[in-house]
Amino acid sequence: MKTIDLRSDTVSHPTPTMREAMARAEVGDDVYHDDPTVNQLEAEAAAKLGKEAAVFVTSGTQGNLCALLAHCQRGDSVILGDTAHIFRYEQGGMAQLGGIIPHTVPVQADATLRLPDLDGAINPDDEHKPVTRLVALENTHNAAGGLPISAEYTAAVGEFARENGLLLHIDGARIFNAAAALSVDVKDLVADANSVTFCLSKGLCAPVGSVLVGEREFIRRARRARKALGGSLRQAGVLAAAGLIALREMTDRLIEDHENAQLLAEGLSEAPGLRIRSQNTNFIFFSLAPHVNVTLDEFVRVLREEYNIFMSIYGGEKGVIRLRTHYWIDRTAIAKTIAAVSSILS
Ligand code: TLP
């Protein structure tokens, strides 16, 4: 039986076209800037996001950390959301490895950070305080349930940052989902950012890799950080070849994943005792009503063992299950999932 893996979009496998391109990829030593496929990916990624330059990194976590290490000095402070992926799920790498101090502000229900909160988080020029260097946004916002944030809001934060002498970084692991959901060019979503990390894996299906984009001089420093983190690869063209397909062919189809998530949420909401908490882009969060006589653990176990359907219990909030649609979740998988869940809960 085919597995239906809804735990995350990170579980998506490379497409047959990607595997073929990987097998044929021209390669060189990327530490010498000699890998033509990596060079091509970096050039196309920078152009697509409207930035000067790019660097291929192994993961979203590494891209965000390289960005913060390249923008900040030890002892600097970064303002970010209290549920930001960088703050919650990247092991505090900025503090652990970079001596950078996170200053969190509350993430609002619409996934934004309030400008007055950002303002209040800027340290005065006072020798007791760390120097505030940067604001980080996340789009789409993982903990806020995959909500996209608009180009207008991002521009307002960009203007605020410039007025206050701060830099703006976007954790855009799923920035192409945001662009698809808002029907805007991704360039407009990141125009005001000094740097953006986006993932080629996740919804875009490449097996490995993310890209960090920004100004040329910033990318030079980020490459140095990547080396120190052990992330400089040699014949990385085999990975970049899949990344090129992700960038060229997989961004425009993300809207299908969003439509499938909506269909799945609609179908699941009919199951007795199942409550959809939110559905945005390719994310669904749901919980089970207290009267349902199956525990969350049991529900997930039965789906896995009896139906080969994988779901994960969300760590960020008690009693919540998180689903993500992606390329390998088609309409048949959606119908099978709805049928399995209704039969367990009926
Ligand atoms: N998120 C993963 C887990 O780490 C939670 C997931 O399954 O969603 N930024 C955002 C917004 C992310 O959601 C993730 C991955 C990352 C950065 C880190 O990317 P990777 O896993 O490539 O280091």
Side-chain angles (χ1 to χ4, degrees):
M1 192 169 37
K2 209 175 127 219
T3 301
I4 298 175
D5 197 341
L6 291 154
R7 289 172 300 171
S8 180
D9 45 11
T10 59
V11 304
S12 62
H13 293 182
T15 64
T17 326
M18 285 178 179
R19 288 180 187 268
E20 218 176 283
M22 291 170 80
R24 284 189 282 101
E26 266 189 69
V27 296
D29 189 329
D30 184 44
V31 177
Y32 292 109
H33 296 259
D34 270 356
D35 189 304
T37 315
V38 172
N39 293 343
Q40 184 68 24
L41 172 67
E42 292 177 345
E44 288 191 27
K48 194 150 178 152
L49 275 87
K51 303 293 177 198
E52 271 179 18
V55 59
F56 182 52
V57 289
T58 54
S59 65
T61 302
Q62 190 178 70
N64 287 329
L65 185 53
C66 286
L68 297 184
L69 293 174
H71 282 312
C72 303
Q73 304 290 318
R74 293 185 74 80
D76 283 353
S77 166
V78 163
I79 307 173
L80 78 177
D82 55 359
T83 60
H85 195 279
I86 294 179
F87 181 61
R88 267 210 190 165
Y89 300 113
E90 297 180 16
Q91 239 194 67
M94 72 165 100
Q96 193 179 158
L97 302 169
I100 301 162
I101 298 112
H103 188 138
T104 61
V105 296
V107 174
Q108 303 300 305
D110 65 357
T112 64
L113 311 177
R114 291 174 62 243
L115 291 184
D117 289 341
L118 294 179
D119 199 40
I122 300 175
N123 286 329
D125 182 10
D126 173 338
E127 68 182 66
H128 296 87
K129 308 267 189 179
V131 173
T132 308
R133 185 74 62 196
L134 178 140
V135 177
L137 294 177
E138 183 173 318
N139 198 8
T140 61
H141 201 290
N142 187 333
L147 269 172
I149 53 172
S150 71
E152 294 72 26
Y153 168 76
T154 309
V157 174
E159 193 183 332
F160 166 88
R162 277 192 303 280
E163 277 169 1
N164 288 283
L166 304 178
L167 298 162
L168 174 61
H169 172 71
I170 299 179
D171 174 359
R174 298 182 184 80
I175 197 75
F176 289 104
N177 291 87
L182 299 167
S183 306
V184 295
D185 187 327
V186 70
K187 282 195 193 84
D188 297 332
L189 275 186
V190 303
D192 285 85
N194 300 92
S195 57
V196 186
T197 306
F198 72 89
C199 295
L200 298 161
S201 52
K202 312 200 172 45
L204 302 186
C205 273
V208 178
S210 295
V211 182
L212 172 63
V213 299
E215 283 181 0
R216 207 170 304 286
E217 172 51 26
F218 160 77
I219 292 297
R220 191 191 62 77
R221 295 196 305 276
R223 272 186 78 97
R224 284 188 59 81
R226 182 187 69 167
K227 185 76 181 136
L229 296 173
S232 298
L233 304 176
R234 301 296 178 172
Q235 288 71 34
V238 286
L239 302 174
L244 274 168
I245 304 214
L247 206 55
R248 291 173 185 165
E249 295 176 19
M250 302 299 280
T251 58
D252 286 344
R253 60 152 304 283
L254 290 171
I255 205 72
E256 275 175 47
D257 296 342
H258 302 177
E259 286 162 5
N260 283 340
Q262 201 180 338
L263 277 178
L264 181 55
E266 279 164 16
L268 291 177
S269 70
E270 308 274 307
L274 189 149
R275 293 185 180 151
I276 299 291
R277 308 279 286 251
S278 66
Q279 189 277 304
N280 303 293
T281 58
N282 64 326
F283 283 50
I284 301 172
F285 282 144
F286 71 83
S287 55
L288 300 180
H291 67 262
V292 170
N293 58 2
V294 55
T295 64
L296 228 48
D297 285 324
E298 187 69 359
F299 177 77
V300 169
R301 189 188 61 73
V302 173
L303 273 171
R304 192 179 183 118
E305 288 175 8
E306 291 179 23
Y307 298 91
N308 216 8
I309 296 175
F310 291 22
M311 296 190 178
S312 60
I313 297 180
Y314 177 56
E317 202 182 333
K318 229 173 147 24
V320 175
I321 291 190
R322 182 190 84 169
L323 307 184
R324 305 266 175 76
T325 52
H326 52 81
Y327 180 78
W328 297 101
I329 302 296
D330 58 12
R331 296 279 161 109
T332 313
I334 303 260
K336 281 188 181 163
T337 305
I338 295 168
V341 168
S342 0
S343 99
I344 295 172
L345 297 178
S346 295

